[in-house]
């Protein structure tokens, strides 16, 4: 009786072991790459399915987007400036079979390719382009890396250059350039303001010349402004405008000599 129970116990244990090795569950964001006697037979999932123990083997591949940091790379730009740049890359597996068959570790391989491509693109770009046209640099990096990872079943969706580190001497030179540019703009704005003010004064003079009474009104307004300032110590003696005309007439005739008189 004891031997009979032990026999059935061994059978039950073998059945449980058989079922545990045959049943596989693959998550929604995964795919199972199946090998039968070492040969690739396809990808399965998601869900529950059975494998033939010993004969079939499965490797799971994650299909979610992977975010990988590209370490800081030091390179020399096309205009001979040494820069240090780091980036971040976003990619995912679109063909699980190729991701297992064509490359040993698709995450590490994509990261290494991104580092090499980043140094290459930096060497082909100028510093101004790297600082002002970063979107174009990102698109160029994404295109080149995506073409390199396509045989591995990996799709690169985005590459972003994050930080650009410049030498201290270059930073001081750029700061001096920016200060000179601000001074240039300030001088241009000041000169433009003077030009506009001169134009307005010329227009005002032309209007006053056509209306003689306007200068009298402006004269009285100026007197009001000066007398209304309590802090002013200036004493104003109003002088009639007609008296100024008399002076102009007198100065228009030259003084006669005693012989002429």
């Amino acid at each position: 009786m004891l031997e009979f129970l032990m026999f059935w116990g061994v059978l039950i244990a073998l059945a449980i072991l058989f079922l545990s090795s045959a049943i596989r569950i693959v998550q929604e964001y995964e795919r199972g790459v199946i090998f039968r006697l070492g040969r690739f037979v396809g990808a399965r999932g998601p869900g529950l399915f059975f494998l033939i123990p010993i004969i079939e083997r499965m490797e799971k591949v994650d299909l979610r987007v992977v975010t990988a940091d590209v370490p800081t790379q030091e390179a020399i730009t096309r205009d001979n400036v040494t820069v240090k740049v780091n980036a971040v890359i976003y990619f995912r597996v679109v063909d699980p079979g190729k991701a297992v068959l064509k490359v040993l570790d698709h995450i590490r391989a994509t990261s290494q390719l991104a580092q090499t491509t980043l140094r290459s693109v930096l060497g082909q770009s100028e510093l101004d382009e790297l600082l002002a046209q970063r979107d174009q640099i990102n698109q160029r990096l994404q295109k080149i890396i995506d073409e390199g990872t396509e045989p591995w079943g990996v799709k690169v969706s985005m590459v972003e250059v994050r930080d650009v580190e410049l030498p201290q001497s270059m930073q001081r030179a750029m700061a001096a350039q920016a200060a000179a540019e601000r001074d240039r703009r300030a001088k241009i704005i000041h000169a433009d303001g003077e030009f506009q003010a001169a134009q307005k004064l010329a227009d005002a003079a032309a209007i006053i010349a056509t209306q003689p009474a306007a200068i009298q009104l402006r004269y009285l307004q100026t007197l009001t402004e000066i007398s209304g300032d309590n802090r002013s110590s200036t004493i104003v003696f109003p002088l009639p405008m007609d008296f100024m005309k008399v002076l102009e007439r007198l100065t228009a005739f030259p003084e006669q000599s005693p012989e002429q008189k």
Side-chain angles (χ1 to χ4, degrees), residues 73-77 79-85 127 130 164-168 170:
Q73 304 296 311
E74 184 174 355
I76 300 177
T77 61
D79 49 353
N80 298 323
V81 178
T82 302
V83 294
K84 293 181 180 180
V85 180
L127 180 61
L130 179 60
V164 179
E165 183 178 350
L166 300 175
Q168 293 294 330
M170 181 58 64

